[in-house]
Amino acid sequence: MSEVYEREALDRPVSLYEHALRLHRLAPDEPLPGGGHPFPDTCDDHRVPHQERLRAPSAVLRQFIENPDASAQDLHDLCAQMTFHARDVKQVLVEELAPEPSPRLREASRWLVRHGTNRRAVMVGLGLMRGNAELQDAPLIRVIGLLRAVDQLAAEVLAGIGGAELDLIWLAERSRSFTRIVAVEALAEHSDAQVREWVLSTPRDLLSGDLARKVAERQDLAAMLDRPEVADDLWDQAGNLLLAMTSTRNYQSEIGRYENALAVYQRWVTVASQRPATVPRAALLAMVAEDVRTGQAAPVAGELRHGLVAEILSVLTSPAWMKVLRRSAASAGDPVEARRAAWVVNQITRDDVPKTGFAVRIVVPDPVPAGFPQVEARIVIDGVPVVAAAFNKGPAESPELLVGSGRLQAASEPRQIRLAEAYCTEGCCGGLYVTIVRQGPEVVWKDWRLSATGTSSPDCLPPEVRFNAVEYDDEVARAEQDYSWEWPARTVARLVAGQLRADPAILGRWDCSPGWCTAWLQDYDSARLTFMYPATRVSFDEPSVQFGVVIDVADRDPQTLATHVIDSLRNADPKLSAEMIGGSKNGAEALGLVYRPPSRW
């Protein structure tokens, strides 16, 4: 290479396509590190109001479409001067301008995507490809789609190109999870065997209830399971879809909207015994059994739920399955699988919920979770889980909040309590409430209500219910004293939180107030504590900092560890060692603190 040519190559701006292609060649089967960041352009992502952002691409696109003499380079240079996001381009092109496909737009879009040195110009190029792209464009689109700034736009363009299904899958497997979700939704109804298999293999933590239902419907899961021979992979995938449809983490459970739900449950359970016994399959069975017994699947299964649960338990307690579970639970080689197997065995040996009266059922999900499941305190009345029957927007309350707080205790003074909160918070989609009052020899649950309209039909709310007060008190006392469901980190969290409530001076001496303390299944061997500084503020405008402490539990004794944590909070200012997880750098400095960004939150 001559010196002059080499200098020209160095001076020439690098296109985003070249940047993506170079990084891809370094690791062809992996996502780009950092989603391609840092990009070779110098875009400033300063905040711009939404309407102003929409006006920017609208103006430049309208000008380009109306001026046939404008070149792709002209459009590129205009885009580089403006601020907007990929979703703004989509909104403008689809909902506002909706230009007719044309050779000019096709060529301009190709030029922008291949040669664009500015990400906003590339966004516009991909936007113009919607309805204009051809199969020959798929290799270009899938490479540029490796860049996180335009991955969703690229996936949507590929989804609209007939014959580009494998290119879309290729991109989805090298992109962040949301791009895969876009691809699964686009391909959910595809008839090609390879595509169908890929859609059905979607990991459960990527499946919202709505997407799982669409996949089950469009792939005709009921018909697939009704074949004489059901492949093991299909059975596993069907179990994942059923569990995803009962989840409320995408605003509502979808299992009640799936027309073939009961038939699929029945067939899936019937053929379960034909599977080779494994711990993951045992966990699937145990989770489905609890869903059918006290979760969102209970109203769907109706009176058949008792038979379904019994059939699942007969599989799990059979010699072949119990051998696998006991061997895995006792194994020291894989602590995660041992934990999971022990959880299944515990699920098998739990008492069933009574068919009459009042019962509290603490439900701990699979300790190798998909997504972010919560431990729930499910109330069962006359064998019916009331949250599942009346509220499909979120999980039941946590046992600490509903049971450990004493809220279930009945008194002569009526008290309203919340049994469940919407996934997105009560302020958005409401919660389920009931009033509890003691009337002589009875405890009455009455005045059921939903705190937001549209959460469920008011017709689903239970009627007034009366319980024998002695039996009710016994069940509440049993639940309050039962910590057998806890794992070590959750026990540490309960003990630490209890000490901080009992003695406000532990943190108060450092002008701090406690926040929350809990443990998550996703972070099984850790508990987390938060606190605020200062303890009080006169106005919301005054600076404050939220601190967080990660408590590593591992194999340590929970009681001993909790005592150690409390002693450390008493003896040394925790602000000096805890991570800053809330508030701003300016706020921390205004309070005389040296800002430290968090590393484990």
Side-chain angles (χ1 to χ4, degrees):
M1 180 182 294
S2 70
E3 186 175 325
V4 172
Y5 183 85
E6 189 175 64
R7 173 54 53 193
E8 289 177 350
L10 290 172
D11 292 341
R12 180 177 60 84
V14 176
S15 74
L16 269 70
Y17 172 77
E18 291 172 313
H19 173 68
L21 188 60
R22 179 181 64 81
L23 292 177
H24 166 62
R25 285 171 174 165
L26 296 176
D29 297 323
E30 302 294 329
L32 300 189
H37 286 279
F39 294 154
D41 64 3
T42 56
C43 282
D44 293 324
D45 283 328
H46 54 277
R47 293 186 176 181
V48 175
H50 178 61
Q51 290 303 318
E52 184 177 335
R53 290 203 325 264
L54 288 179
R55 285 195 294 270
S58 177
V60 298
L61 284 166
R62 192 181 300 276
Q63 181 178 339
F64 179 76
I65 292 169
E66 293 175 355
N67 180 9
D69 296 327
S71 67
Q73 181 71 64
D74 295 332
L75 179 56
H76 178 283
D77 294 344
L78 285 172
C79 292
Q81 300 171 24
M82 298 183 175
T83 297
F84 50 84
H85 300 158
R87 60 181 177 272
D88 304 323
V89 173
K90 175 183 174 182
Q91 185 173 341
V92 166
L93 282 169
V94 174
E95 300 176 12
E96 181 184 339
L97 299 181
E100 292 293 325
S102 71
R104 178 172 177 257
L105 290 182
R106 184 178 301 116
E107 291 308 312
S109 66
R110 287 171 176 164
W111 190 93
L112 290 172
V113 172
R114 183 174 292 278
H115 301 291
T117 58
N118 177 277
R119 74 192 71 174
R120 296 189 178 102
V122 173
M123 290 174 191
V124 168
L126 285 169
L128 287 172
M129 277 189 162
R130 293 175 67 101
N132 281 293
E134 298 173 336
L135 186 57
Q136 68 184 44
D137 299 312
L140 170 67
I141 298 166
R142 73 180 198 175
V143 169
I144 201 70
L146 294 170
L147 299 177
R148 189 173 296 165
V150 295
D151 53 358
Q152 183 181 347
L153 266 178
E156 290 171 348
V157 174
L158 286 172
I161 302 175
E165 295 82 9
L166 297 183
D167 295 284
L168 178 55
I169 291 173
W170 183 95
L171 174 60
E173 290 181 341
R174 293 163 177 79
S175 301
R176 55 181 170 170
S177 58
F178 189 74
T179 304
R180 177 153 186 170
I181 292 170
V182 170
V184 171
E185 184 145 11
L187 300 174
E189 205 168 357
H190 206 279
S191 59
D192 178 79
Q194 184 178 351
V195 175
R196 287 172 66 121
E197 175 62 27
W198 183 82
V199 168
L200 287 169
S201 70
T202 304
R204 193 167 75 249
D205 60 346
L206 299 185
L207 287 168
S208 65
D210 180 62
L211 181 56
R213 177 180 56 80
K214 289 177 180 176
V215 170
E217 290 172 343
R218 294 173 185 176
Q219 294 290 324
D220 200 354
L221 182 63
M224 295 175 75
L225 286 175
D226 208 31
R227 297 168 182 165
E229 298 291 331
V230 176
D232 293 336
D233 286 349
L234 175 59
W235 187 88
D236 296 339
Q237 293 156 354
N240 280 326
L241 289 171
L242 288 171
L243 288 174
M245 282 188 276
T246 61
S247 170
T248 56
R249 68 184 178 93
N250 191 45
Y251 300 101
Q252 71 175 21
S253 166
E254 291 287 327
I255 195 69
R257 299 178 61 197
Y258 178 39
E259 185 176 328
N260 293 319
L262 182 56
V264 168
Y265 273 119
Q266 290 177 297
R267 179 61 176 165
W268 187 80
V269 171
T270 296
V271 299
S273 61
Q274 301 169 19
R275 309 302 116 199
T278 66
V279 172
R281 289 195 179 112
L284 270 179
L285 283 163
M287 287 186 288
V288 168
E290 194 60 55
D291 266 346
V292 170
R293 181 190 280 124
T294 65
Q296 291 289 331
V300 172
E303 291 303 313
L304 295 177
R305 66 185 184 277
H306 306 294
L308 289 171
V309 171
E311 196 169 349
I312 289 174
L313 292 179
S314 72
V315 173
L316 292 174
T317 56
S318 65
W321 287 75
M322 286 304 300
K323 180 180 179 181
V324 169
L325 290 170
R326 290 195 179 107
R327 183 178 65 242
S328 298
S331 172
D334 187 344
V336 174
E337 179 153 304
R339 173 195 312 159
R340 199 177 200 186
W343 172 81
V344 174
V345 172
N346 181 64
Q347 292 295 106
I348 294 170
T349 57
R350 289 191 73 179
D351 293 335
D352 200 358
V353 294
K355 295 183 179 180
T356 59
F358 173 84
V360 181
R361 179 87 168 184
I362 308 300
V363 176
V364 180
D366 181 357
V368 183
F372 199 87
Q374 299 181 37
V375 180
E376 300 179 46
R378 295 176 179 172
I379 303 300
V380 181
I381 297 177
D382 293 334
V384 178
V386 295
V387 170
F391 189 75
N392 66 354
K393 292 287 188 178
E397 292 286 8
S398 71
E400 292 90 348
L401 191 63
L402 186 62
V403 181
S405 63
R407 295 183 186 185
L408 292 176
Q409 296 174 12
S412 57
E413 186 70 24
R415 177 169 54 186
Q416 180 178 253
I417 66 167
R418 191 178 69 190
L419 300 176
E421 179 185 19
Y423 159 80
C424 49
T425 73
E426 181 178 359
C428 180
C429 291
L432 174 65
Y433 284 81
V434 69
T435 297
I436 302 175
V437 63
R438 184 181 298 274
Q439 293 180 353
E442 295 181 316
V443 171
V444 183
W445 280 38
K446 63 177 185 176
D447 300 334
W448 300 80
R449 72 176 182 88
L450 302 168
S451 61
T453 57
T455 52
S456 289
S457 168
D459 296 337
C460 294
L461 292 176
E464 180 180 294
V465 190
R466 292 178 175 268
F467 308 104
N468 177 285
V470 174
E471 294 175 356
Y472 179 90
D473 292 343
D474 287 346
E475 174 62 7
V476 171
R478 181 205 61 77
E480 289 177 343
Q481 296 162 18
D482 179 16
Y483 302 117
S484 63
W485 59 270
E486 292 180 341
W487 63 100
R490 194 81 170 213
T491 301
V492 170
R494 171 175 57 82
L495 295 172
V496 170
Q499 283 290 310
L500 294 177
R501 283 194 303 270
D503 187 358
I506 295 172
L507 285 171
R509 67 179 301 184
W510 311 111
D511 192 18
C512 297
S513 59
W516 47 264
C517 188
T518 192
W520 303 320
L521 286 168
Q522 277 192 323
D523 194 11
Y524 192 86
D525 288 322
S526 299
R528 292 175 181 262
L529 165 68
T530 67
F531 59 92
M532 296 297 299
Y533 172 75
T536 59
R537 290 187 292 170
V538 175
S539 75
F540 184 77
D541 295 329
E542 293 182 353
S544 68
V545 174
Q546 183 185 33
F547 288 87
V549 177
V550 179
I551 305 167
D552 293 314
V553 179
D555 297 324
R556 303 170 71 179
D557 174 66
Q559 181 67 63
T560 302
L561 179 56
T563 300
H564 171 75
V565 170
I566 292 298
D567 287 345
S568 67
L569 294 173
R570 279 197 176 104
N571 298 329
D573 187 346
K575 298 191 296 293
L576 300 178
S577 57
E579 297 191 59
M580 296 179 178
I581 61 173
S584 65
K585 180 179 180 181
N586 290 340
E589 292 173 350
L591 292 167
L593 302 170
V594 177
Y595 178 74
R596 303 184 304 276
S599 62
R600 299 185 65 185
W601 290 75

